[in-house]
Amino acid sequence: MLSLPPLALYIHVPWCVRKCPYCDFNSHTLLGALPEAAYIDALLADLDAELIDVQGRTLTSIFIGGGTPSLVSGAGYQRLLTGIGSRMTLAADIEITLEANPGTFERERFADFRRAGINRLSVGVQSFDNDALARLGRIHDGDEAVRAIATAREVGFDEINIDLMHGLPGQTMATALADIDQALALAPTHLSWYQLTLEPNTAFYSRPPELPEEDVLADIQDAGQARLEAAGFQRYEISAWSRPGHEARHNLNYWRFGDYLGIGAGAHGKISRPGTQGLEIERRWKTRQPETYLARHHDPRGFVAGSRVLSRDERGLEFLMNALRLSDGVPRQLWQQHTGLDESRLDAHTRAAIARELLYETHARIQATPLGLRFLNDLLALCDDSVLARS
């Protein structure tokens, strides 16, 4: 019998107060009232259509992302999570994360989120510097961000992630480290610290701001890493830092090539199941426009915009694209368990990278070397080219 990977649930809330110029997520400026009740109805109908593929499996985590999910009320999440719990088995220690914007926080609202069953908060701060926030198009200032995190802790959130970006327009080493110091002063359990990139189909891509030079970016990365390590944070993924034992379980499931259902406008999912030739892996994505998504509420499969079953080479490369982001990599046994491929296929992907000292050669783990982590894109390209050359 095939061993299936852990199962998670991603929920997408597509609306925000204002679209940020760097954002390439499926987010839409909210015009008028939030159609909260109708959207929750649609989410539960979407989930109903997905259940046929995951009968008998237990949810290990739920992540509610966006957009700005904190626009939805605590009562709305209470109804949504109750509906999910009545349809699926939830792990006793399930992690339920909500992304929150400091510009939408109110004390009672955060308390309602906690009462609804949400037990982890990810606060999209990006920076505590008011000038930087204005250039990023954020709707909050640094003081609001500080108050939002303090309020979250006061109402009972023990697990708090702070999202920070570096390499911002006009940023210096001093302002980048000041952001880290302010975040550390708020005592979060987790930090997502990632470099601003200019993505296609964003305002910043069309009208690029002036960003720090490459040598400045490298110096900020090195100094920030040292500051976080000195404060007791461990870098367990390229852009993720945590106190020991407080890693994001939902994101770890992604990086270990676990399964996840995706519901909501534009949500993506990945599901493994037994096939005629062993393990079969399907990726599925939902219609992106919120109005279209809501209109398809009564069509059992109308939410799905497209899907595809991964080929053998795609399975192997996608596994490596995720697993090699982890500082400690993954146990080698996960390769066969989560891809359905034998060891020879793994060797075909990794042989050239091991020869160039971008991957460790070990029978226990699949793990990038420090050099491989620094040049991850080169490492992944080499793994791809390596297997294609032998196909």
Side-chain angles (χ1 to χ4, degrees):
M1 182 175 178
L2 286 172
S3 174
L4 297 177
L7 178 68
L9 172 65
Y10 175 75
I11 302 168
H12 193 75
V13 178
W15 294 282
C16 54
V17 175
R18 184 173 64 204
K19 180 85 170 179
C20 296
Y22 59 85
C23 177
D24 69 334
F25 297 139
N26 184 39
S27 59
H28 305 261
T29 300
L30 180 63
L31 302 174
L34 181 75
E36 179 176 301
Y39 194 67
I40 291 171
D41 288 342
L43 288 172
L44 292 173
D46 191 355
L47 179 60
D48 284 336
E50 295 280 326
L51 293 180
I52 190 172
D53 291 322
V54 294
Q55 292 296 326
R57 298 177 67 179
T58 298
L59 275 185
T60 60
S61 65
I62 298 172
F63 192 101
I64 308 165
T68 304
S70 49
L71 290 172
V72 175
S73 70
Y77 283 125
Q78 179 75 63
R79 184 163 77 89
L80 176 61
L81 293 173
T82 298
I84 294 168
S86 70
R87 289 163 168 81
M88 302 190 70
T89 300
L90 309 185
D93 63 344
I94 189 168
E95 175 191 88
I96 305 177
T97 302
L98 175 75
E99 286 185 340
N101 189 325
T104 61
F105 92 94
E106 301 162 359
R107 182 185 182 85
E108 194 55 32
R109 191 177 194 84
F110 274 32
D112 287 344
F113 294 153
R114 188 68 189 91
R115 284 191 287 266
I118 294 162
N119 54 27
R120 185 174 182 273
L121 211 60
S122 181
V123 187
V125 171
Q126 315 313 349
S127 176
F128 293 95
D129 181 88
N130 288 339
D131 289 338
L133 288 168
R135 286 190 287 268
L136 290 173
R138 302 296 288 174
I139 65 171
H140 67 271
D141 62 27
D143 288 342
E144 284 179 302
V146 170
R147 290 197 301 273
I149 294 163
T151 298
R153 180 164 289 105
E154 289 168 6
V155 301
F157 282 99
D158 297 321
E159 297 292 334
I160 298 175
N161 169 64
I162 296 177
D163 266 352
L164 280 183
M165 291 196 296
H166 60 91
L168 307 179
Q171 190 173 56
T172 64
M173 172 73 77
T175 56
L177 292 181
D179 274 346
I180 290 179
D181 289 341
Q182 176 62 84
L184 292 173
L186 295 167
T189 52
H190 193 283
L191 275 170
S192 297
W193 188 56
Y194 51 96
Q195 183 179 321
L196 172 65
T197 56
L198 305 185
E199 302 291 348
N201 302 314
T202 65
F204 270 4
Y205 191 83
S206 301
R207 298 179 297 280
E210 187 173 345
L211 302 179
E213 299 290 336
E214 286 297 325
D215 56 344
V216 175
L217 292 173
D219 290 344
I220 288 174
Q221 179 71 46
D222 290 341
Q225 180 167 331
R227 188 71 56 93
L228 289 166
E229 288 174 349
F233 278 76
Q234 299 175 340
R235 184 192 192 192
Y236 69 97
E237 189 268 345
I238 290 290
S239 303
W241 301 74
S242 75
R243 300 264 182 212
H246 294 275
E247 299 84 357
R249 279 186 275 150
H250 186 87
N251 289 340
L252 276 174
N253 187 54
Y254 288 151
W255 296 321
R256 291 169 177 163
F257 209 49
D259 281 353
Y260 53 98
L261 299 173
I263 61 173
H268 285 238
K270 168 192 169 283
I271 294 298
S272 304
R273 56 177 174 255
T276 55
Q277 298 181 342
L279 191 68
E280 181 178 273
I281 298 176
E282 180 187 357
R283 288 205 177 275
R284 186 180 300 159
W285 53 96
K286 305 300 171 62
T287 186
R288 290 174 57 86
Q289 290 298 323
E291 297 80 7
T292 306
Y293 182 86
L294 285 167
R296 295 183 178 180
H297 176 188
H298 299 293
D299 180 351
R301 302 299 293 180
F303 299 109
V304 177
S307 66
R308 66 185 180 88
V309 174
L310 300 184
S311 69
R312 290 176 47 166
D313 285 343
E314 286 173 328
R315 273 184 270 164
L317 185 61
E318 287 197 16
F319 177 95
L320 293 172
M321 286 175 64
N322 286 280
L324 294 179
R325 293 182 62 88
L326 292 169
S327 300
D328 292 337
V330 296
R332 191 177 175 95
Q333 67 194 41
L334 286 191
W335 168 266
Q336 189 162 21
Q337 289 177 8
H338 291 190
T339 68
L341 303 174
D342 60 33
E343 294 275 326
S344 65
R345 206 69 184 170
L346 174 60
D347 293 337
H349 274 288
T350 60
R351 191 175 297 118
I354 290 171
R356 298 195 190 183
E357 299 184 345
L358 298 177
L359 280 180
Y360 288 114
E361 184 171 15
T362 169
H363 296 297
R365 302 192 70 77
I366 306 167
Q367 182 181 0
T369 64
L371 185 66
L373 282 174
R374 183 174 285 271
F375 298 102
L376 184 61
N377 288 338
D378 294 334
L379 167 58
L380 293 174
L382 193 62
C383 289
D384 192 17
D385 290 343
S386 178
V387 74
L388 290 177
R390 292 167 171 78
S391 294

